[in-house]
Amino acid sequence: MTGTGVRWLAGVLIVACVLVAGPSAPGGFHIAKPLPADAPQEAVPNRVMTWNICNPCKGRSQNAGRAAEIASYAPQVIGLQEACVGDVERIREQLRYLYGLVYHVEYGSVLKRWSRCGGVPWSPGGFGQAILSAAPMTDRVNVEYPDGGSEDRGYMAVTTLVDGRPVRVFNTHLAQFGQASVRAKQTGVLAKAVARYDRTIVLGDFNAVPDAPELAGMWGLATDADAGCGPSAAGACEPTTDWRSKFDYIFLRGFTPLGQRVHLTPYSDHDLVQADLRRS
């Protein structure tokens, strides 16, 4: 049997097992959403992604679609914002059992709130950031900003392998759009941590357009994976949100972007941002 035939048969068996198992199957899903014909069969080396999956605006019923969106591009490293632990676990299960993509995960939760992430009142789900990586991760840190603005915010960081070498990966979500002075303090905290490493990838929703003054500290350290984007070329930066502003960034130190793509998605008010990299 050819390789294509083996994958087809495996897919049929997986779907059959899930249909038989019903609600007891991982994540309670029943069938895989179809992927593009050119979707990767495994995680793509040196491909990274950032995505604010928007909680609570779309709800848990969207997790199957979110998993399919990620599987369509199969990045090696993924940074998720506005992520509930339970939702991320469901997405991971579906990526593994329906699409054959296995990811390690680390969390950077800043809230424990039943009304936000479900669970039970005495054990609410965590809310914040998450990093998924095809390679193992070490040395996780989770930092809550001293001033989160209208809601607690923070950054997390891990060490994993990209291009076969260790790299420090950060994931953050800054204060809401109307809180520029708070974001300026937050980027000061983040930039100080990023500056300690020569090879870094900083993923996140910065809630600020490229020429916003509060991003000056980040632009002084790194470049965006959108090669034509920068504080002096804000009009050329591809938008990443439903309201057609660029708020989502893949900042790079020690890497050169080979290309960035922004994918519109119905599962969030933020677009999915993907970049392919090579070592500088």
Side-chain angles (χ1 to χ4, degrees):
M1 183 178 291
T2 66
T4 300
V6 170
R7 288 194 296 270
W8 179 86
L9 179 59
V12 169
L13 292 173
I14 289 170
V15 170
C17 290
V18 171
L19 287 170
V20 170
S24 64
F29 49 78
H30 296 279
I31 192 165
K33 291 183 177 292
L35 301 182
D38 59 350
Q41 297 293 318
E42 56 188 19
V44 178
N46 307 336
R47 175 170 291 175
V48 299
M49 174 186 292
T50 186
W51 193 14
N52 181 323
I53 58 175
C54 191
N55 175 288
C57 66
K58 294 294 181 181
R60 294 175 181 82
S61 63
Q62 304 297 312
N63 288 328
R66 290 165 176 161
E69 291 281 84
I70 292 171
S72 295
Y73 313 108
Q76 181 182 2
V77 177
I78 306 160
L80 300 177
Q81 303 89 42
E82 293 195 30
C84 290
V85 170
D87 288 337
V88 175
E89 287 303 306
R90 294 180 185 95
I91 291 168
R92 283 182 70 225
E93 288 171 351
Q94 298 193 36
L95 286 168
R96 179 174 183 175
Y97 292 103
L98 293 182
Y99 304 109
L101 297 170
V102 179
Y103 288 100
H104 304 267
V105 65
E106 293 288 352
Y107 293 99
S109 298
V110 293
L111 289 174
K112 295 281 188 179
R113 187 169 296 169
W114 177 82
S115 62
R116 195 70 184 258
C117 287
V120 291
W122 56 90
S123 184
F127 173 82
Q129 288 75 247
I131 294 177
L132 280 63
S133 175
M137 293 175 280
T138 60
D139 303 318
R140 181 191 72 94
V141 298
N142 185 32
V143 176
E144 187 171 333
Y145 293 124
D147 184 358
S150 56
E151 181 179 77
D152 295 346
R153 297 289 165 91
Y155 77 82
M156 63 177 299
V158 300
T159 298
T160 190
L161 296 179
V162 176
D163 197 23
R165 297 177 61 190
V167 58
R168 197 67 171 163
V169 179
F170 292 79
N171 185 17
T172 192
H173 187 193
L174 300 190
Q176 293 179 359
F177 180 65
Q179 302 172 340
S181 61
V182 176
R183 288 195 303 278
K185 298 174 185 176
Q186 293 171 347
T187 53
V189 173
L190 176 63
K192 184 176 180 180
V194 171
R196 300 189 185 111
Y197 301 90
D198 293 329
R199 290 170 45 82
T200 60
I201 300 170
V202 186
L203 310 168
D205 173 7
F206 285 74
N207 270 318
V209 294
D211 57 354
E214 62 268 28
L215 291 189
M218 289 304 303
W219 288 119
L221 289 172
T223 58
D224 187 50
D226 182 351
C229 182
S232 60
C237 301
E238 191 170 4
T240 65
T241 66
D242 282 359
W243 47 98
R244 311 326 297 153
S245 295
K246 178 177 171 70
F247 283 176
D248 304 274
Y249 297 81
I250 299 175
F251 282 115
L252 304 172
R253 282 167 60 86
F255 290 92
T256 299
L258 298 178
Q260 177 183 282
R261 295 181 63 188
V262 178
H263 304 283
L264 299 176
T265 171
Y267 303 109
S268 175
D269 58 358
H270 286 251
D271 304 328
L272 185 154
V273 184
Q274 163 217 313
D276 295 311
L277 316 176
R278 66 173 172 81
R279 196 183 319 168
S280 294

